[in-house]
Amino acid sequence: MSKVFNWGIIGPGRIAHKFANDLGVLPNAKLHAVASRSLDKALEFANKYSAVHAYGSYREIISCPDLDAIYIATPHPWHCENTLMCLEHNIPVLCEKPMGMNAKEVRQMIGLAKFQNTFLMEALWTRFLPTTKKVLELIAEGAIGEVNTVKADFGFKATFDAKHRLFNQSLGGGSLLDVGIYPVFLACLILGKPNSISAEASIGKSNVDENCGIVLKFDNQKLALLHASIVSNTKCEARIYGDKGVIQINSRWHEPTSITWYPEEGEPQDFFFEFDSFGYKHEIIEVQNCLASNKIESEDLSFDFSIDLAEVMDNIRIQAGIFYPMYDHFTEKEIATKANNFSQN
Ligand SMILES: NC(=O)c1ccc[n+]([C@@H]2O[C@H](COP(=O)([O-])OP(=O)(O)OC[C@H]3O[C@@H](n4cnc5c(N)ncnc54)[C@H](OP(=O)(O)O)[C@@H]3O)[C@@H](O)[C@H]2O)c1
């Protein structure tokens, strides 16, 4: 019988419920432990998903017996601290996106994973969906010729609440870090690391970006046109344009959906995929496969990719004026240099 992986969760909030559900659809994964700042909440969560251990503080989960991996599901500003705590104790980590508040944190986390020889991966689950894999396959087969442009948006209308994580600056609020990371991820996955960045944001009354528009420019004049919002329901579509056709990842493109291939000649072709979960099971399978092979990083979502992504996000923030004074480390000189010429970095 294949090994069953025992998972722990830190921060049993909204996304942790979906993740715990998806652990339950895999025959070789189960929720083993949960840690909350409230013991009552941990017990309730553990009870709902049949976990054996419940802890009323994050630190206690470190001593949990028989734990194979921990999923960090706290708001972004705690990802770094929670991840470092697990890695220091050699516990493999799957950490929610964005991996850190900035590239400095991401480098620190990955540095410790390497030093401790312990697995770490950013929970950019879209990377592992069958839709994404099919898109990469079609591109590699030349189905749309040479890709020249990626267009993607991710926006939803959230009810304003200055205390909620989405609108609260000290909880890492704003559209770019929460949903904008998905279009940026897709552009970098397909086109690599950009050479230059233009970005603008509308900063709302709670000082976070409510809308963010981004243009990335890559080698060979390739472009990405991206949009994120937490104040409007956008189409949530992604299109990849080539010189011989187009691939559309249908709405909402970042989660389980279908894709349509528009070849230069002939009829469009749809590809549908069956989904028996929220879609998180694919990243869980990737983590488990890596652990079973004693790998400390995923080849499909590597350390370098997460660092590059975080650097691109930092530079979008600098361009668009999205700052978190309590977490940022940018110097005036860095801001001026990067804002003027990202490509020299
Ligand atoms: N992959 C995806 O599809 C997806 C979707 C949504 C969100 N996310 C990511 O997942 C993370 C969590 O998002 P969420 O929507 O699940 O957040 P959430 O429900 O607002 O918070 C998650 C949990 O974090 C803990 N927490 C620790 N410090 C906190 C603080 N100072 N204030 C509030 N909560 C705190 C709380 O658990 P305890 O009080 O029990 O300790 C809370 O229940 C974010 O980084 C987000 O980007 C990913």
Side-chain angles (χ1 to χ4, degrees):
M1 207 176 106
S2 68
K3 174 183 165 57
V4 174
F5 287 82
N6 284 335
W7 283 81
I9 291 182
I10 291 182
R14 202 177 65 87
I15 192 60
H17 277 282
K18 291 187 171 180
F19 187 86
N21 174 82
D22 282 9
L23 284 175
V25 303
L26 290 169
N28 62 344
K30 73 179 177 67
L31 186 65
H32 182 65
V34 58
S36 162
R37 295 169 301 169
S38 142
L39 181 57
D40 283 349
K41 197 173 154 203
L43 285 166
E44 193 185 323
F45 194 94
N47 194 29
K48 182 166 182 190
Y49 299 100
S50 310
V52 187
H53 302 279
Y55 301 101
S57 77
Y58 295 164
R59 187 146 284 281
E60 284 172 82
I61 200 171
I62 293 309
S63 328
C64 179
D66 304 322
L67 206 51
D68 293 305
I70 284 186
Y71 169 60
I72 309 282
T74 48
H76 334 321
W78 288 275
H79 290 176
C80 182
E81 179 186 321
N82 300 155
T83 297
L84 296 181
M85 178 185 78
C86 297
L87 293 175
E88 272 159 15
H89 293 81
N90 292 103
I91 301 175
V93 172
L94 173 64
C95 177
E96 258 311 334
K97 41 58 55 174
M99 194 183 245
M101 285 299 291
N102 47 54
K104 187 181 178 195
E105 288 190 357
V106 172
R107 278 193 287 267
Q108 193 185 0
M109 295 155 84
I110 287 173
L112 188 62
K114 287 181 179 169
F115 182 76
Q116 295 286 80
N117 199 29
T118 301
F119 181 85
L120 171 63
M121 190 178 95
E122 186 168 9
L124 263 167
W125 59 302
T126 304
R127 173 65 186 86
F128 303 101
L129 294 176
T131 35
T132 305
K133 291 196 170 171
K134 186 68 190 173
V135 167
L136 294 178
E137 241 173 69
L138 284 169
I139 293 172
E141 286 164 7
I144 57 169
E146 175 91 7
V147 174
N148 53 56
T149 308
V150 172
K151 265 172 113 173
D153 68 284
F154 188 167
F156 68 101
K157 187 173 185 318
T159 307
F160 181 80
D161 173 359
K163 291 195 184 129
H164 189 275
R165 140 182 119 65
L166 277 179
F167 291 95
N168 185 328
Q169 198 185 35
S170 64
L171 296 179
S175 69
L176 177 67
L177 292 190
D178 197 67
V179 288
I181 190 168
Y182 287 100
V184 176
F185 145 78
L186 185 72
C188 294
L189 180 69
I190 291 171
L191 297 174
K193 198 174 180 187
N195 297 319
S196 71
I197 289 172
S198 317
E200 290 287 349
S202 1
I203 306 295
K205 55 185 177 227
S206 61
N207 273 337
V208 304
D209 60 297
E210 296 184 343
N211 261 313
C212 183
I214 305 154
V215 179
L216 305 177
K217 191 166 183 188
F218 301 81
D219 280 350
N220 301 322
Q221 306 290 320
K222 298 178 184 201
L223 292 178
L225 314 174
L226 315 171
H227 175 217
S229 178
I230 52 169
V231 287
S232 285
N233 292 319
T234 70
K235 262 195 142 177
C236 293
E237 269 175 8
R239 285 179 181 211
I240 299 129
Y241 296 86
D243 59 8
K244 293 199 174 102
V246 179
I247 296 168
Q248 177 166 303
I249 319 180
N250 297 312
S251 184
R252 297 176 355 144
W253 71 266
H254 73 290
E255 60 188 9
T257 177
S258 62
I259 64 176
T260 307
W261 169 39
Y262 298 88
E264 202 173 27
E265 286 170 13
E267 289 299 304
Q269 197 175 327
D270 290 318
F271 298 89
F272 297 99
F273 303 88
E274 267 185 34
F275 293 103
D276 54 359
S277 67
F278 288 115
Y280 301 104
K281 77 168 194 182
H282 302 285
E283 65 176 357
I284 297 169
I285 292 170
E286 173 69 6
V287 174
Q288 295 187 169
N289 285 343
C290 287
L291 295 179
S293 317
N294 292 320
K295 290 182 183 166
I296 66 161
E297 78 179 295
S298 158
E299 276 167 31
D300 287 344
L301 196 58
S302 67
F303 290 160
D304 282 350
F305 185 91
S306 284
I307 290 172
D308 285 352
L309 182 63
E311 284 176 357
V312 172
M313 294 288 280
D314 276 5
N315 283 285
I316 292 170
R317 293 217 279 117
I318 288 170
Q319 287 283 336
I322 303 168
F323 295 114
Y324 299 87
M326 54 296 262
Y327 307 116
D328 284 335
H329 54 86
F330 311 127
T331 61
E332 295 288 327
K333 192 174 162 213
E334 227 177 345
I335 291 173
T337 315
K338 284 183 176 163
N340 286 337
N341 194 348
F342 173 73
S343 60
Q344 284 180 3
N345 292 318

